Amino acid sequence: MSFDRHLAEIAREFPDWTIWRSDAGRWWATRHRLLTEEERDAGCAMTIDADDAEGLRERLLEQQERGAPDDNET
């Protein structure tokens, strides 16, 4: 699969992020909004990177989990 197709698929899957691949071949994602204090405290990042498309997808899923509201909070 071409990197353009990977890029489009990840962008569709994570619409709150801008996804790109650097000239050096590294995959990047940055959020469209600022993090809340709670998200920062939970270890969320504004920008993440990975060696390949699958690695970036995994990092994005990790970020989703970190930012997920606690089930005990209302």
Side-chain angles (χ1 to χ4, degrees):
M1 182 182 306
S2 75
F3 95 87
D4 287 332
R5 190 161 182 188
H6 280 294
L7 193 74
E9 286 181 1
I10 295 171
R12 267 192 306 277
E13 189 176 348
F14 301 95
D16 295 332
W17 296 78
T18 297
I19 312 297
W20 76 97
R21 187 171 176 226
S22 71
D23 292 341
R26 198 131 179 93
W27 290 75
W28 294 84
T30 194
R31 293 179 191 268
H32 293 174
R33 63 171 181 78
L34 296 175
L35 294 170
T36 65
E37 184 176 343
E38 292 80 15
E39 288 169 324
R40 286 191 306 272
D41 290 346
C44 293
M46 279 297 298
T47 302
I48 58 174
D49 66 324
D51 293 332
D52 54 30
E54 190 54 40
L56 185 63
R57 179 177 277 115
E58 289 172 13
R59 301 259 345 255
L60 286 162
L61 289 169
E62 288 171 8
Q63 287 292 303
Q64 258 183 349
E65 289 174 13
R66 288 179 188 266
D70 186 72
D71 289 338
N72 297 324
E73 292 181 359
T74 54

